[in-house]
Amino acid sequence: MKIGFIGAGTVTRTFGRHLITAGHTIVVSNSRGPETLTDFVTDLGPNAVAGTKQQAAECEVVILATNWVKVPEALKGIDWNGRILIDATNAHMDLKPDISLAGVTRSRAALKGRTSSEIVAERAVGARLVKSISNIPMEWILDFSPNKPRTVIFTSGDDIEAKQQVIELIKGVGFVAIDLGRLVTGGAMHEVGAPLSGLDLHLVRRLR
């Protein structure tokens, strides 16, 4: 599968490498143009290519991996036409995320009682939005080997088919996707500052 990334930071570098290891191709974009991404995609290997934002957004699955403050501009002008958009952002109100209690509290207060993915969904009209790949720091999943821990990645969304495709994608790279239900209720449990955010959980066994 060809998977697009809007944003070329830590999420793209880390989760993108997991996707490539699993046999996928990724299209990486940023706000400055593909010519600035030569070293970035070279480091990831031949299955990573640089593209424009539009080229990344034309992929079957797209991962929004930009800073929260850049989300409006990142989503501007894209015709989603029913494609899957994974919201991997966290609603930090500063360009450099402040993960202190005060910083997280301030960021959540700015949402005014809404989930961050509700706001993203409003800006990505026509996308089938799934919130995922955002509940843990990327430095926790830097093991790219076949024997890496089965780290839990939470997932929520209103489109059941889209969410299932994201779950299968996450499982396919060796992680465990746990479905937390609808975008509003589930997102409220695993967005930044929520009870299930920032927990390093590994699946050992399950009954079903």
Side-chain angles (χ1 to χ4, degrees), residues 90-133:
N90 281 302
H92 296 288
M93 298 303 156
D94 301 309
L95 192 57
K96 182 178 181 180
D98 181 357
I99 61 173
S100 69
L101 178 59
V104 171
T105 300
R106 180 167 56 84
S107 294
R108 288 180 65 86
L111 297 175
K112 298 180 180 178
R114 306 173 71 201
T115 64
S116 59
S117 286
E118 287 179 87
I119 298 171
V120 173
E122 286 183 357
R123 294 186 176 276
V125 177
R128 294 191 288 163
L129 191 73
V130 178
K131 182 171 180 60
S132 193
I133 320 173

Side-chain angles (χ1 to χ4, degrees), residues 1-28 40 43-44 47-48 61-66 84-89 130-144 148-155 165-178:
M1 182 186 295
K2 183 177 286 187
I3 299 161
F5 281 86
I6 298 177
T10 305
V11 172
T12 303
R13 187 183 304 277
T14 305
F15 202 78
R17 189 178 296 277
H18 283 291
L19 290 169
I20 289 169
T21 301
H24 300 286
T25 297
I26 68 170
V27 179
V28 181
F40 190 95
D43 182 60
L44 285 171
N47 282 353
V61 174
V62 184
I63 299 176
L64 179 63
T66 189
I84 296 173
L85 175 62
I86 300 175
D87 176 19
T89 67
V130 178
K131 182 171 180 60
S132 193
I133 320 173
S134 60
N135 61 283
I136 56 171
M138 290 294 101
E139 57 261 33
W140 291 359
I141 55 169
L142 292 177
D143 184 345
F144 302 101
K148 61 178 175 282
R150 299 181 66 198
T151 302
V152 170
I153 295 179
F154 295 113
T155 306
Q165 286 190 49
V166 173
I167 287 171
E168 293 302 320
L169 185 67
I170 292 169
K171 288 168 59 179
V173 300
F175 298 128
V176 176
I178 293 183

